[in-house]
Amino acid sequence: MTLSWTQIARLGLVQLCLGAVVVLTTSTLNRLMVVELALPAMLSGALVALHSFVQITRPSWGFWSDAEGKRTRFIIGGMAILSFGAALASLMVALEVAGQGWGLVVSVLAYVLIGIGAGASGTSLLALLATGCAPERRAAAATITWLMMIFGIAVSSGVIGALLDPYSPERLMVIVAVVTAGAVLLTAAAIHGIEARVIPVRAPDHTPLLKGLAEVWSETRTRVFTLFIFLSMTAFFLQELILEPYAGLVFAYSPGQSTSLSGAQHAGMFIGMLAVGIAVSGLKIGSLRGWVTAGCVGSAVMLVVIAALGQLGIGLLTPAVTVLGVFTGMFAIASIGAMMQLAGQGRSGREGTRMGVWGASQAIAQGLGGFAGAALVDVLRLSRDTADAFSLVFVIEAGLFLAAGVMAWRIIDGGRLRAPAPQLVPGE
């Protein structure tokens, strides 16, 4: 059997829960630490980056879910760990001790748990989708689940923001308790029975972890796609921490206007993802290879446009960022679809391990890309004016996107990956 549309939508609810809990820790708590607790932005930024770097453990979670042959326990267990970490981090903020002494130590532990939980649950969920979806439904499944995650991020951000005003520690903990407990319960209900009905029961795999990881890494297609994920995601996240400061410093946007700019970008991403999902799965227009490449090239063009707007003083930043979101959404959802196709190629029973390797590559790129973009702007502003500094970083990001687009066109062929002949790699 393969996953039905209803079951795919139920798995999308798990993605929604992941998005809702993660955004609580990376957005709401970040703002509270910087504004209400007056902690250095670097401190809260380091904690957020920590949860990304911890997700280098994704290959291990993917391998263990492969070996056990039961991904449901990893999905629910990971969500529980993620939710506990979010609640613990929130408690440190509510007690106003997140940035000092034992409170900082507990906060670090909390963000480690957040990274572990997101990695365990998210990787196992993607592996379940990859193994349970019929090939012709994978692009649509990726679209549905990712749109639901973005929806969860958008709605939870708005609702939490509205309920949190006026702020009080007690109000924060009530909201966090509802969000985290609700996420675990909804995940358990959404995933219940799906794996047992769809995925054939197989004997546990007793291959040692390191040997299993080495087997997957010896596959040329896995290594090549890992490099593509790292390159493209570094480009994707390079502007994450500098776009709103760019709007404020160069275009004199108010805090409210710069926040709405982020909303416009995510709205564009939603449109881009939806368009690709409909085109590939519904209308049979184009291929994943073509949409990944088009998304990368389009993103590069719009980044150059955004850089030029600052140089020319033209106030069209919001529409340009919206179009950038459309192209990045196209690239992201097509890449995820290709990832789901490629996860089933090679040695069977290693879908989760491959998803874990690619998830770890994305997480590392997210942490490095965001930090590198901010650091480059700071360094460049020492020797040139603000508009020039931001523009140069956007142009660098455009170059990375172009390189990723060229790489995607060369390595992705239909639903498969072009790679050197297997015999060139010993043991593959």
Side-chain angles (χ1 to χ4, degrees):
M1 291 181 62
T2 58
L3 292 169
S4 67
W5 291 117
T6 300
Q7 291 169 329
I8 291 171
R10 286 170 59 187
L11 294 180
L13 288 174
V14 180
Q15 283 281 61
L16 185 151
C17 293
L18 280 169
V21 178
V22 169
V23 78
L24 173 68
T25 62
T26 59
S27 180
T28 305
L29 295 187
N30 177 61
R31 181 250 151 77
L32 291 175
M33 283 189 279
V34 173
V35 179
E36 275 68 23
L37 301 188
L39 295 174
M42 184 177 295
L43 175 61
S44 61
L47 289 172
V48 172
L50 176 63
H51 104 280
S52 293
F53 288 123
V54 167
Q55 292 183 58
I56 196 172
T57 58
R58 277 179 176 262
S60 300
W61 294 115
F63 173 80
W64 286 324
S65 74
D66 285 338
E68 290 288 330
K70 297 178 180 178
R71 305 192 196 278
T72 300
R73 66 179 63 176
F74 288 91
I75 295 171
I76 298 175
M79 187 66 72
I81 294 172
L82 166 62
S83 296
F84 177 73
L88 193 59
S90 300
L91 180 61
M92 295 304 100
V93 171
L95 295 175
E96 300 185 355
V97 295
Q100 56 188 345
W102 66 270
L104 179 57
V105 173
V106 175
S107 294
V108 169
L109 172 62
Y111 276 86
V112 168
L113 292 175
I114 290 166
I116 289 174
S121 186
T123 301
S124 301
L125 178 67
L126 286 177
L128 181 57
L129 275 169
T131 54
C133 275
E136 65 275 10
R137 289 186 175 182
R138 285 174 182 160
T143 302
I144 290 170
T145 54
W146 250 257
L147 287 179
M148 292 182 73
M149 183 174 71
I150 291 178
F151 180 79
I153 290 173
V155 171
S156 61
S157 296
V159 172
I160 290 172
L163 294 177
L164 200 55
D165 189 24
Y167 171 74
S168 71
E170 295 78 14
R171 186 184 293 265
L172 170 66
M173 291 311 301
V174 170
I175 293 171
V176 169
V178 172
V179 171
T180 54
V184 175
L185 293 175
L186 182 56
T187 294
I191 198 74
H192 177 70
I194 290 180
E195 186 175 20
R197 295 190 186 100
V198 176
I199 310 298
V201 177
R202 65 172 186 266
D205 185 345
H206 299 293
T207 304
L209 171 63
L210 293 180
K211 182 179 179 181
L213 293 176
E215 287 175 352
V216 167
W217 191 247
S218 69
E219 299 170 352
T220 303
R221 61 179 63 87
T222 299
R223 295 197 305 274
V224 170
F225 200 69
T226 300
L227 177 59
F228 166 73
I229 290 294
F230 181 78
L231 177 62
S232 60
M233 286 296 136
T234 299
F236 184 87
F237 288 109
L238 204 62
Q239 51 77 38
E240 185 179 39
L241 299 181
I242 65 173
L243 191 58
E244 289 190 38
Y246 177 61
L249 293 171
V250 178
F251 292 86
Y253 274 34
S254 68
Q257 288 175 313
S258 63
T259 300
S260 67
L261 184 69
S262 176
Q265 184 179 21
H266 282 89
M269 288 183 64
F270 190 95
I271 293 170
M273 289 181 170
L274 186 61
V276 170
I278 293 173
V280 174
S281 298
L283 303 178
K284 310 300 181 185
I285 298 174
S287 64
L288 292 175
R289 173 196 185 194
W291 286 112
V292 172
T293 304
C296 287
V297 173
S299 297
V301 171
M302 291 313 303
L303 284 163
V304 172
V305 169
I306 290 171
L309 291 177
Q311 296 294 309
L312 300 174
I314 300 175
L316 297 175
L317 183 61
T318 297
V321 168
T322 303
V323 178
L324 171 65
V326 172
F327 281 115
T328 54
M330 288 167 49
F331 140 75
I333 203 65
S335 296
I336 293 163
M339 185 187 302
M340 290 177 64
Q341 296 278 21
L342 298 170
Q345 296 180 22
R347 179 189 171 102
S348 62
R350 290 287 183 263
E351 294 86 355
T353 310
R354 294 185 192 97
M355 283 295 189
V357 169
W358 296 330
S361 180
Q362 176 182 330
I364 294 170
Q366 180 177 0
L368 289 178
F371 178 78
L376 275 172
V377 166
D378 285 343
V379 171
L380 291 171
R381 289 181 68 191
L382 297 175
S383 59
R384 59 191 70 212
D385 68 39
T386 299
D388 287 346
F390 279 100
S391 294
L392 184 54
V393 176
F394 289 134
V395 170
I396 292 171
E397 183 179 4
L400 292 177
F401 260 125
L402 280 178
V406 171
M407 187 175 185
W409 186 258
R410 295 184 63 184
I411 68 173
I412 300 174
D413 184 11
R416 302 188 66 81
L417 195 69
R418 293 178 177 176
Q423 62 266 27
L424 298 180
V425 181
E428 184 172 341

